Amino acid sequence: MRLSKKGAAKPDPKEGADRTKDVLGGTEIRIAYKMGYVLNFYREPSFRKIEMELGITRPEIVTLIFLNFREGVTASEICEFSGHLKANISRGIIALEKKKLLRRDVDKNDNRRQRLYLTPAGRALYAKYIPALRERERAMLSCLSASERKLFEGLLDKLAEHVPHWTALDEL
Amino acid sequence: MRLSKKGAAKPDPKEGADRTKDVLGGTEIRIAYKMGYVLNFYREPSFRKIEMELGITRPEIVTLIFLNFREGVTASEICEFSGHLKANISRGIIALEKKKLLRRDVDKNDNRRQRLYLTPAGRALYAKYIPALRERERAMLSCLSASERKLFEGLLDKLAEHVPHWTALDEL
DNA sequence: ATGAGAAAGTCACATATGAGACTATCTAAA
DNA sequence: TTTAGATAGTCTCATATGTGACTTTCTCAT
């Protein structure tokens, strides 16, 4: 591993790529590690920025994302597909309701469940941060051709559908 | 989205796959989201288990993984490739040293840097948890053929090498 | 050489998170 | 029915984490 550092915040891309390849090859869990590496750089800075600027926590961000494409979802479903613990999602939902960003109704068929719905304010807040996430995903993927992207997403779909086979739900 | 729940902790795989596909397709950042979904199920339960059973934190786990394949690495390099904040890695290193799992020497060429080295105890601890991570990665990938796995890793390599082009180091 | 600015690492404080107990409700089997 | 066990969601407490300030050391342009 070369130890000379780049001059600016933006590293010299050429050297960066070399070092990256050098370092990433070494662990015993290469694929999981590389996924984590790429995803961390996508997600962490974006989410921290949203947290700071909009004053919401990660479970709240995730809850808004879920609600935006599927209203009436319940807390436990958000847990199931987001990987967040139910205590945190619960706190997030309570906070979002307090800020009037969502509304909850008890499910008529099951009094334990609460169906969640975005308010206009919630939808507006979501609209405030999603463009940056979309743009950053585009940048992340810009090194792949259209067909490579399709291929990559296809493999991810396969992996995602396989998740229930090797993991137990109660692990969350 | 179907709302009927599975009977046991292990969901019915068939239904699970359907719901997964159903839910994952909906966000506006599909690929990033799917990566997160798969990775969360790989990483979170594993890491929490290690944290609990071995009494170490996530930055400590990551530091041991790095040191195991490359001794003499510095804290800031671990940050750069792990995505953890330097304050947390710093705390992790201090804790690991206190437990005599690593040793640090000031770099002769740069007195600000500390080169890190595993102790035998540190190596032994690493050896305790890495097999489970390896096995879980194997399970995660078992739905892909050998050639699909190669393909997937190749695409990940491309994405990883591209990271320095769209992200700024100081974002961590 | 020297002074401005960057980098490595540490610290203190506030906040977010994980673990696990708890209530209320539902389900299914005797 | 009744009851044991599962599920949805909330709460409390301890701990881990993010932020930003700080010290020390290095780099590089003047």
Side-chain angles (χ1 to χ4, degrees):
Chain A
M1 182 189 297
R2 264 174 287 132
L3 296 173
S4 62
K5 300 294 287 190
K6 312 100 242 132
K10 212 81 175 172
D12 171 36
K14 189 155 196 315
E15 179 177 357
D18 289 353
R19 298 185 68 209
T20 301
K21 187 185 282 186
D22 189 19
V23 171
L24 295 179
T27 69
E28 299 193 48
I29 42 173
R30 289 207 318 280
I31 293 189
Y33 177 65
K34 288 171 187 173
M35 284 180 78
Y37 175 74
V38 174
L39 193 63
N40 272 343
F41 274 92
Y42 168 75
R43 192 163 53 176
E44 294 306 313
S46 314
F47 277 37
R48 284 201 204 109
K49 192 151 170 286
I50 295 170
E51 288 165 10
M52 277 207 17
E53 294 181 357
L54 303 182
I56 57 180
T57 67
R58 205 154 300 211
E60 295 174 64
I61 297 171
V62 166
T63 296
L64 290 182
I65 289 177
F66 266 86
L67 280 177
N68 191 72
F69 77 86
R70 194 173 302 264
E71 302 247 345
V73 85
T74 66
S76 67
E77 288 171 326
I78 296 175
C79 292
E80 189 177 340
F81 289 103
S82 73
H84 286 268
L85 296 167
K86 65 178 181 173
N88 295 328
I89 293 294
S90 173
R91 280 187 280 250
I93 288 170
I94 291 167
L96 287 173
E97 187 185 43
K98 201 165 301 174
K99 296 180 224 167
K100 306 207 182 299
L101 298 171
L102 64 72
R103 178 172 58 74
R104 37 184 177 170
D105 291 343
V106 171
D107 186 330
K108 288 158 199 57
N109 296 104
D110 186 340
N111 284 301
R112 294 170 304 178
R113 297 185 184 194
Q114 310 172 350
R115 305 213 156 269
L116 306 174
Y117 301 92
L118 280 180
T119 63
R123 211 177 298 279
L125 188 66
Y126 169 83
K128 242 182 175 158
Y129 64 71
I130 196 71
L133 292 178
R134 256 198 268 107
E135 166 54 26
R136 198 173 173 87
E137 187 195 52
R138 200 203 52 69
M140 172 176 80
L141 296 172
S142 67
C143 65
L144 300 183
S145 70
S147 66
E148 283 174 324
R149 265 196 290 276
K150 267 279 151 273
L151 202 54
F152 187 63
E153 185 168 6
L155 293 167
L156 276 178
D157 284 336
K158 242 179 170 168
L159 289 172
E161 287 170 31
H162 185 237
V163 162
H165 293 259
W166 54 270
T167 208
L169 279 183
D170 60 356
E171 282 185 337
L172 293 180
Chain B
M1 182 189 297
R2 263 175 285 132
L3 296 172
S4 62
K5 300 292 291 189
K6 312 101 241 133
K10 211 81 173 172
D12 171 35
K14 189 155 193 320
E15 180 177 357
D18 288 352
R19 298 184 69 210
T20 301
K21 187 185 285 189
D22 189 20
V23 172
L24 295 180
T27 69
E28 299 193 47
I29 42 174
R30 288 207 317 281
I31 293 189
Y33 178 66
K34 287 171 188 171
M35 284 180 78
Y37 175 74
V38 174
L39 194 63
N40 272 343
F41 274 93
Y42 168 76
R43 192 163 55 176
E44 294 305 313
S46 313
F47 277 37
R48 284 200 205 111
K49 192 151 170 287
I50 295 170
E51 287 165 11
M52 277 207 17
E53 292 180 358
L54 303 181
I56 57 180
T57 67
R58 205 154 299 211
E60 295 175 65
I61 297 171
V62 167
T63 297
L64 290 181
I65 289 177
F66 266 85
L67 280 176
N68 191 72
F69 78 86
R70 194 173 302 265
E71 303 247 345
V73 85
T74 66
S76 66
E77 287 171 327
I78 295 175
C79 292
E80 189 177 338
F81 290 104
S82 72
H84 286 269
L85 296 167
K86 65 178 182 174
N88 294 327
I89 293 293
S90 174
R91 280 187 280 251
I93 289 169
I94 291 168
L96 288 172
E97 187 185 42
K98 202 166 297 175
K99 297 181 220 164
K100 305 206 183 301
L101 298 171
L102 65 71
R103 179 172 58 73
R104 40 183 175 170
D105 292 344
V106 172
D107 187 330
K108 288 158 200 57
N109 296 104
D110 186 339
N111 284 300
R112 292 171 306 179
R113 297 184 184 195
Q114 309 172 351
R115 306 212 153 270
L116 306 174
Y117 302 92
L118 279 179
T119 62
R123 211 176 299 279
L125 188 66
Y126 169 83
K128 241 180 176 160
Y129 65 72
I130 197 69
L133 292 179
R134 254 197 271 108
E135 166 53 29
R136 198 171 173 88
E137 187 195 51
R138 201 202 52 68
M140 170 177 80
L141 296 172
S142 68
C143 65
L144 300 184
S145 70
S147 66
E148 284 175 323
R149 265 197 290 278
K150 266 280 152 270
L151 202 52
F152 187 62
E153 186 170 6
L155 292 168
L156 277 177
D157 284 336
K158 244 181 169 166
L159 290 173
E161 287 170 31
H162 185 239
V163 163
H165 294 257
W166 53 272
T167 209
L169 279 181
D170 60 358
E171 281 185 338
L172 293 179

